[in-house]
Amino acid sequence: MTTVDADSVAAGYDDVRSDQRTDVNWMVLKYEGNQIINSCTGDSFEELQEQFKDDERAFVYLRINTGDEMSKRTKFALLIWLGPEVSVLKKARMSTDRALVKQIIQNFSVEIMLESRGELDLEYLRSRVEKAGGSVYGTGHH
């Protein structure tokens, strides 16, 4: 039975959501045995891209700035990493485990399943968040 290290996950969640306390804009949750833990946090998207192995499952809570010159917005996404070498059984457990994670991580605009490194692209993720968040106004110049 999977459990969540609620204290470490909640602390990382608060760091990502905070505008004042930290520069942290992402948190990676990984499996340690049967427990989901806050594996790491950071502020560099390049560093985030290096966190995943092909045989791993993970969750990411990500802050993304969207909008245009008229209205900047901060949005949050819940990413689910399912590496291409993850077993069918472990993939099947993700829906139950996702429900456990969502008991703590409740505020996000979009949930995105990632199954390849190519999807772990900031512009791709930003476009998915913007589509989920409605219209973008303005001239398109930032």
Side-chain angles (χ1 to χ4, degrees), residues 39-51:
S39 173
C40 58
T41 58
D43 62 0
S44 157
F45 193 79
E46 291 73 27
E47 187 182 340
L48 174 63
Q49 290 173 307
E50 297 168 5
Q51 298 303 315

Side-chain angles (χ1 to χ4, degrees), residues 55-109:
D55 63 349
E56 261 183 338
R57 302 173 292 162
F59 299 91
V60 179
Y61 189 57
L62 177 66
R63 169 194 289 259
I64 296 182
N65 295 316
T66 66
D68 53 42
E69 75 281 5
M70 292 171 63
S71 63
K72 300 267 185 223
R73 292 183 214 69
T74 299
K75 300 285 186 178
F76 299 90
L78 179 63
L79 311 180
I80 295 101
W81 170 257
L82 272 174
E85 296 173 18
V86 171
S87 73
V88 173
L89 181 61
K90 286 184 175 179
K91 283 183 181 181
R93 286 194 192 131
M94 284 300 278
S95 61
T96 306
D97 295 351
R98 182 170 56 208
L100 293 172
V101 168
K102 287 164 95 171
Q103 289 175 358
I104 299 167
I105 297 176
Q106 298 180 348
N107 188 316
F108 52 91
S109 302

Side-chain angles (χ1 to χ4, degrees), residues 117-128:
R117 295 201 177 278
E119 295 172 313
L120 197 57
D121 173 78
L122 187 56
E123 290 312 311
Y124 168 74
L125 297 174
R126 183 175 285 125
S127 74
R128 293 283 308 268

